Amino acid sequence: MNIVVTPPKASEAQAASDRVASDSLPLKDAREQVMRETGTIPTGERAGSRKVYVAGELFPDIRVPFREVAVHPSANEPPVTLYDSSGPYTDPTVAIDIKRGLPLVKSSWQLDRGDIAPVLNPRDVRPEDNGHASGKHLAPRFDTSRHKVFRGAPGRPVTQLEYARAGIITPEMEYVAIRENLRREQGVGDGVWGVEGPRHVTLADGSTVPLPHTPPPTPHTPRDGEPFGAEIPDFVTPEFVRSEIARGRAIIPHNINHPEVEPMIIGRNFLVKINANIGNSAVLSSVDDEVDKLVWATRWGADNVMDLSTGRNIHNIRDWIIRNASVPIGTVPIYQALEKVGGVAEDLTWEVYRDTLIEQAEQGVDYFTIHAGVRLPFVPLTANRVTGIVSRGGSIMAKWCLSHHKESFLYEHFEDICDIMRAYDVSFSLGDGLRPGCIADANDEAQFAELRTLGELTKVAWDHGCQVMIEGPGHVPMHKIKANMDEQLKHCHEAPFYTLGPLTTDIAPGYDHITSAIGAAMIGWFGTAMLCYVTPKEHLGLPDRQDVKDGVITYKIAAHAADLAKGHPAARLHDDALSRARFEFRWEDQFNLGLDPETARKYHDATLPKEAHKTAHFCSMCGPKFCSMKISQDIRRDAQAQNDAGGSLAEAEAEAGMAEMSAKFRAGGGEIEVKV
């Protein structure tokens, strides 16, 4: 375990110097530098921004994080508030110690009200949990002595769905409501929580309190979008969050054994979220690598992280990931279950799988991908496909079904699975095991037969009080994306849908993140709540930190594009702020308001590195004489000067003047003179 935590650079000047040095390194030295940086955890605020928190009103101990970007004083604009999933890693007041894990966000929210109780005899770690690794092949254990294991108390609500159905607003619900609003209410009204409907709300401790504020006025930014039936409010209230969860249209994935996590919400009527994939492989594994990718992914904007580990050391590495994760962590439990039986699919049993669910639930995994929709009758439907079954979990269960000629034990024991997941508030990700592996197989009967089954299982899970989201397909050409979303909404009763990045074409090896993002933006626009990226290396090799970054940034763009298309007011405010910065040549504001300030600044430095260049009214491509925005500014200034002088022509005079100038232009041979 060699991972180290690095404080932020002393100054931006030093950072610029470091960038130049790095860019000038020979290839061999540059590669060695990257290797040295792997396992280095960054801390400190992102460039040009600061970490800010908003307290709760219903629950005053809540501290909801944001990234605040102060723009140049010349803009005469307030700071821009951005969604922040980076956790305490970007809080300069928090001392990060990877070996101890992150501070606890919600250690007492449920314990104080008696809804959970300690597990007296938590499950012990067994050799098979780590693939029987030993000696130098065994990854170091995280010190879990401070991690207490809980489960739901008998007769008490446990899951966010159970609270919501009971009319109860939890701290998690107010937390995500504040988070979704991005402090927009501060500029338009007295408060956030006023809504049409109930004037009182019920809290998780059973008390009833009045709504603290009057309704805010309509936001200044008009709606401009096509939501395709989504019902995005001007402002998100805790009551709106509660009602969406109660209807099954949103989830807060938040295992009671993951108190380090900052609550977030996944749903059609909220900001589109993105998921980042990490995880050791059967080929290569390291605690340093995976924690490194986890932290960097959240720093770049990942809202959730899937630990897709295979091979050895799955349990030990997952401990390091969860205890240092400020975002929800998901897994596919059947991967680890398969390792426990030596990788032989037909040797899997319900008992092994059940034990794996309990193991991961006690660790703190927030959502499980369960491929219970892969049923025996559906497997032959894939026989004539171009690419067969590409889902790892789907192929494992398909092989088990055919080997035993039995119905899937996941399907037959689904209610037992529900009971386990409810006890810890682990959310369902109902897996799309028969999803297409190429565009030729998209939207076939195998895929839709499983989708209809997932709809049936959704109702079963809801009946057991479990939160549910539905995993969607990859490899869907553009003309079939809308139909896919419509089928999900119809058969799965509007449960949140998330997609594995529908690649709109299969001709882009090495650039799958681009073709995937095209589809992701579209399906997010049509109603998908979370986008799960495909990285450049994902189908070719093992993703590293840079690969994760490419995937995260690409999908953040896709998610933002979807929010804009749906008419989400917060998305438009962010976009417009950057547009104004670009037109006014506020280069530093452009960098800092972007998704990746560091890369934006690096590209500008490559040709205009001097400090004076950061206020120049041109870029290196156009130069000072051919900049369209500079010309536009001149036109605007001249027009304003004319208006200020009272210079306005009557319509007839204007037409006469334009006719005169047109004739003069033609008489001169139609040549354009540009004065420089």
Side-chain angles (χ1 to χ4, degrees):
M1 179 67 189
N2 299 315
I3 202 163
V4 293
V5 177
T6 60
K9 293 282 193 300
S11 68
E12 184 59 32
Q14 180 61 52
S17 174
D18 292 347
R19 289 195 298 275
V20 172
S22 177
D23 293 345
S24 62
L25 287 174
L27 180 59
K28 178 176 180 296
D29 294 338
R31 286 175 174 170
E32 290 178 354
Q33 178 170 300
V34 170
M35 293 299 294
R36 288 194 299 271
E37 289 179 353
T38 300
T40 300
I41 299 301
T43 60
E45 296 167 319
R46 296 199 68 181
S49 65
R50 69 184 185 111
K51 193 91 167 186
V52 296
Y53 294 91
V54 173
E57 296 193 41
L58 302 176
F59 301 94
D61 62 328
I62 288 175
R63 296 178 73 243
V64 183
F66 297 100
R67 178 181 161 218
E68 182 185 86
V69 179
V71 297
H72 194 272
S74 64
N76 195 28
E77 296 177 8
V80 180
T81 300
L82 304 180
Y83 198 98
D84 182 16
S85 59
S86 61
Y89 295 100
T90 51
D91 188 337
T93 68
V94 177
I96 300 296
D97 185 349
I98 298 298
K99 295 182 179 180
R100 290 184 60 86
L102 297 183
L104 307 185
V105 174
K106 60 151 212 173
S107 58
S108 64
W109 289 357
Q110 290 176 295
L111 188 62
D112 290 348
R113 57 181 181 258
D115 294 340
I116 61 175
V119 176
L120 298 180
N121 295 298
R123 184 188 177 281
D124 292 326
V125 181
R126 303 166 188 169
E128 60 266 29
D129 300 342
N130 287 304
H132 295 281
S134 61
K136 66 179 183 179
H137 301 295
L138 181 63
R141 286 285 313 274
F142 184 89
D143 180 6
T144 59
S145 59
R146 291 178 294 274
H147 175 63
K148 297 180 180 176
V149 178
F150 296 92
R151 61 177 290 142
R156 301 286 296 179
V158 182
T159 72
Q160 294 297 308
L161 178 60
E162 290 177 306
Y163 291 124
R165 285 177 169 173
I168 294 171
I169 290 176
T170 64
E172 292 91 335
M173 296 175 193
E174 186 184 22
Y175 192 108
V176 300
I178 296 171
R179 208 170 190 186
E180 291 286 315
N181 286 318
L182 298 172
R183 300 199 298 173
R184 292 179 296 117
E185 73 282 356
Q186 295 184 3
V188 297
D190 295 330
V192 191
W193 307 143
V195 289
E196 295 182 3
R199 307 307 306 163
H200 292 77
V201 296
T202 302
L203 305 183
D205 62 2
S207 61
T208 301
V209 299
L211 289 170
H213 287 296
T214 58
T218 302
H220 299 304
T221 305
R223 293 298 184 91
D224 178 22
E226 170 51 69
F228 292 108
E231 301 169 7
I232 303 169
D234 288 339
F235 292 95
V236 177
T237 70
E239 172 59 25
F240 179 77
V241 172
R242 186 206 64 76
S243 66
E244 288 290 284
I245 294 173
R247 296 174 64 176
R249 301 203 306 191
I251 67 170
I252 300 177
H254 202 169
N255 188 328
I256 60 178
N257 290 312
H258 191 182
E260 301 89 350
V261 76
E262 297 175 347
M264 56 79 67
I265 194 164
I266 301 171
R268 184 186 182 193
N269 296 317
F270 302 93
L271 291 165
V272 176
K273 306 304 191 299
I274 74 158
N275 172 81
N277 291 336
I278 64 171
N280 63 291
S281 74
V283 178
L284 180 67
S285 64
S286 152
V287 171
D288 291 29
D289 287 342
E290 300 313 315
V291 176
D292 179 83
K293 286 187 284 188
L294 163 76
V295 178
W296 279 103
T298 58
R299 191 175 183 90
W300 292 318
D303 299 290
N304 297 266
V305 168
M306 282 288 285
D307 173 19
L308 300 177
S309 295
T310 60
R312 295 180 298 199
N313 293 311
I314 293 177
H315 184 98
N316 283 6
I317 290 178
R318 190 188 307 116
D319 266 342
W320 286 94
I321 291 172
I322 294 175
R323 302 281 74 84
N324 287 287
S326 60
V327 300
I329 300 296
T331 65
V332 186
I334 203 165
Y335 296 172
Q336 188 179 15
L338 185 67
E339 298 289 355
K340 293 180 179 181
V341 295
V344 182
E346 49 266 43
D347 288 350
L348 279 168
T349 64
W350 160 244
E351 289 72 24
V352 170
Y353 189 82
R354 179 184 181 278
D355 176 70
T356 305
L357 294 182
I358 294 172
E359 172 195 351
Q360 297 191 11
E362 291 189 350
Q363 276 186 291
V365 176
D366 299 285
Y367 57 99
F368 292 153
T369 295
I370 308 283
H371 296 92
V374 180
R375 299 188 57 193
L376 179 62
F378 302 160
V379 178
L381 299 175
T382 66
N384 295 323
R385 281 181 163 184
V386 173
T387 54
I389 302 173
V390 296
S391 162
R392 284 188 285 184
S395 63
I396 293 167
M397 287 313 306
K399 187 174 183 181
W400 189 94
C401 290
L402 292 178
S403 298
H404 296 274
H405 202 69
K406 290 182 177 179
E407 187 62 90
S408 160
F409 61 78
L410 298 181
Y411 183 80
E412 292 199 325
H413 285 276
F414 190 74
E415 292 192 76
D416 298 319
I417 295 172
C418 291
D419 290 338
I420 294 171
M421 297 179 69
R422 179 209 168 265
Y424 305 93
D425 196 8
V426 179
S427 298
F428 271 104
S429 154
L430 289 179
D432 191 11
L434 300 181
R435 64 179 182 267
C438 63
I439 64 168
D441 298 334
N443 292 15
D444 66 356
E445 178 54 27
Q447 178 192 336
F448 285 151
E450 182 183 23
L451 184 66
R452 292 188 290 270
T453 302
L454 298 184
E456 298 170 10
L457 297 176
T458 296
K459 286 189 171 182
V460 175
W462 285 346
D463 288 342
H464 285 72
C466 297
Q467 301 187 89
V468 179
M469 60 179 172
I470 309 295
E471 185 182 54
H475 301 274
V476 182
M478 288 192 294
H479 62 289
K480 293 185 178 181
I481 292 176
K482 184 66 166 59
N484 208 287
M485 184 74 242
D486 291 345
E487 285 292 299
Q488 191 275 337
L489 290 171
K490 179 172 67 175
H491 295 296
C492 297
H493 326 291
E494 297 190 90
F497 195 44
Y498 80 96
T499 182
L500 294 176
L503 286 80
T504 56
T505 172
D506 292 326
I507 66 163
Y511 300 91
D512 279 349
H513 59 311
I514 298 176
T515 180
S516 181
I518 295 169
M522 292 180 67
I523 202 166
W525 178 21
F526 301 148
T528 293
M530 183 169 72
L531 310 176
C532 184
Y533 69 31
V534 175
T535 69
K537 289 183 180 178
E538 191 163 321
H539 296 141
L540 300 170
L542 187 65
D544 55 15
R545 183 209 295 172
Q546 184 60 45
D547 198 52
V548 169
K549 180 178 183 178
D550 291 343
V552 168
I553 298 298
T554 304
Y555 265 57
K556 290 297 287 187
I557 296 170
H560 181 74
D563 286 330
L564 282 173
K566 291 197 298 184
H568 198 295
R572 179 64 184 272
L573 286 173
H574 185 186
D575 227 70
D576 287 350
L578 204 151
S579 298
R580 291 190 296 272
R582 178 172 291 159
F583 182 71
E584 296 167 10
F585 296 99
R586 292 185 274 118
W587 292 104
E588 291 290 341
D589 289 352
Q590 289 185 58
F591 307 152
N592 299 334
L593 288 169
L595 293 176
D596 184 3
E598 294 80 10
T599 296
R601 187 175 287 103
K602 178 181 178 182
Y603 286 173
H604 195 262
D605 285 351
T607 51
L608 296 171
K610 297 181 179 179
E611 200 61 33
H613 295 152
K614 305 311 176 192
T615 56
H617 283 210
F618 60 87
C619 67
S620 56
M621 181 174 179
C622 299
K625 298 178 182 179
F626 293 93
C627 180
S628 61
M629 287 191 291
K630 180 63 171 67
I631 295 170
S632 295
Q633 287 184 350
D634 294 341
I635 294 170
R636 179 178 294 182
R637 184 190 63 243
D638 294 344
Q640 185 63 49
Q642 186 180 46
N643 291 336
D644 292 344
S648 61
L649 298 174
E651 187 174 340
E653 294 174 328
E655 290 182 1
M658 287 187 286
E660 181 184 349
M661 294 303 294
S662 178
K664 184 178 179 180
F665 178 77
R666 289 194 297 270
E671 294 183 358
I672 300 174
E673 180 183 1
V674 180
K675 294 180 180 180
V676 297

